[in-house]
Amino acid sequence: MAERALGLLGVVGFAVAYMAFFWYARSNNMARVKTPMGVRLGFIVTLLALAALMLPAAGVTALTSLVFVEALGMMVLPLRVGVALGAGLLAVAELALRLTPGWRDDGSYSLSIVLGGLAVFGIRRAMLRSIELTAARKDFAELAVQEERNRFARDLHDILGHSLTVITVKAELAGRLMEANPTRAAAEVADVEQLARAALADVRAAVAGYRELSLAGELVSARAALQAAEIKADLPTVVDEVPEENRELFAWVVREGVTNVIRHSGAKRCTIRLSKSMVEVVDDGKGPTAVAGTSGHGLIGLRERADQAGASVQVGQAPDGGFRLAVRVAP
């Protein structure tokens, strides 16, 4: 009677402890978290002690508990330790079956220990892969957000940098003409209003995420901006030679190059050349400076666009002095 009571206590205690330990292991992700090894081994020792209580009443069937001990060990212990535990439990089962009178070895206990350990190992690997996949998705989402922020900041800089530069030049020109030529001054003020509205529309389009530049349109805008700044413009009149896939990038080059010419160069002449694979903006101004060198925000954004298109950016002094900006697309 006492043996049965002890065995029943062992079975109930083993079941409760196993479920509690397994739930704790999963909720605390013990396969990854640095839980003290003593705590993990304490789980195993507790289950083995409860399994020993079953022996007087359950006999050989108590060896079934070793399958669950190995399963928990594969869940909470490092892989090598879990495998070593499985090997030890397998040896205990085989020795007990051979040395205990009346116990018959049919191979089922040993096979169950091996299969149980393999099954939990597979579950553990699947859990780890799921955690790693979730972390990777989170990283990709954060990278996508960061890339979108960079895209928007780059577009906003290029849009407002160019538009506000032209607006400033035209406003200064209108101020000088206010008394000498009121009609011309009024026309320049009207242009300022139109440019401000166009810049606002560009910002809204950039926010919407579908804004694209037109190479032909940028050449027209560049001519008007250079004329307003009293810089002679030598620009191409057609863009048919440029492949469609290169035109947006070349449009950004024209915009950034002309903006820098107006802002920094002090030039009297600006030349833009186009070919199938290259666009070049050259002026006859004072050449590269610390402001209009290679590290401005506009040129950084232009390099990022060029990298995405597989193109190279060249900046530096022009052959005849002045500043040269060129972008070449790999064939």
Side-chain angles (χ1 to χ4, degrees), residues 97-138:
L97 288 169
R98 284 169 170 74
L99 298 179
T100 305
W103 287 13
R104 184 172 58 86
D105 182 13
D106 58 2
S108 61
Y109 295 107
S110 299
L111 181 62
S112 297
I113 292 173
V114 174
L115 293 180
L118 290 175
V120 177
F121 171 75
I123 295 173
R124 175 175 172 172
R125 295 301 300 171
M127 291 171 59
L128 290 177
R129 294 299 184 190
S130 177
I131 293 170
E132 292 170 355
L133 181 60
T134 301
R137 286 175 176 171
K138 182 180 178 181

Side-chain angles (χ1 to χ4, degrees), residues 51-95:
L53 290 178
M54 305 180 202
L55 286 173
V60 69
T61 57
L63 295 180
T64 306
S65 62
L66 300 183
V67 178
F68 297 93
V69 175
E70 170 60 5
L72 184 66
M74 290 299 293
M75 176 62 70
V76 304
L77 298 176
L79 180 58
R80 291 182 179 179
V81 180
V83 172
L85 174 65
L89 295 176
L90 188 63
V92 168
E94 288 295 326
L95 288 173

Side-chain angles (χ1 to χ4, degrees), residues 18 52 92 103 111 127 152 184 190 207 219 237 252 270 273 300 316 331:
Y18 178 82
V92 168
W103 287 13
L111 181 62
M127 291 171 59
F152 181 71
R184 173 77 185 281
V207 172
L219 288 172
T237 56
W252 284 111
C270 175
R273 301 184 182 93
I300 291 174

Side-chain angles (χ1 to χ4, degrees), residues 266-282:
K268 298 298 182 183
R269 184 185 188 90
C270 175
T271 302
I272 298 178
R273 301 184 182 93
L274 291 175
S275 68
K276 292 181 180 180
S277 59
M278 190 178 76
V279 57
E280 184 181 44
V281 182
V282 180

Side-chain angles (χ1 to χ4, degrees), residues 252-274:
W252 284 111
V253 177
V254 170
R255 170 169 285 220
E256 177 62 24
V258 170
T259 300
N260 284 338
V261 169
I262 295 173
R263 277 183 176 177
H264 312 300
S265 70
K268 298 298 182 183
R269 184 185 188 90
C270 175
T271 302
I272 298 178
R273 301 184 182 93
L274 291 175

Side-chain angles (χ1 to χ4, degrees), residues 22 34 110 113 127 165 190 214 234 266 325:
F22 203 89
K34 299 296 184 181
S110 299
I113 292 173
M127 291 171 59
T165 297
S214 162
D234 183 6
L325 168 64

Side-chain angles (χ1 to χ4, degrees), residues 8 24 26 51 72 111 123 189 195 208 215 243 247 249 280 287 326:
L8 182 61
Y24 180 82
R26 290 199 59 182
L72 184 66
L111 181 62
I123 295 173
V189 170
L195 285 168
L215 178 56
R247 291 184 183 180
L249 174 61
E280 184 181 44

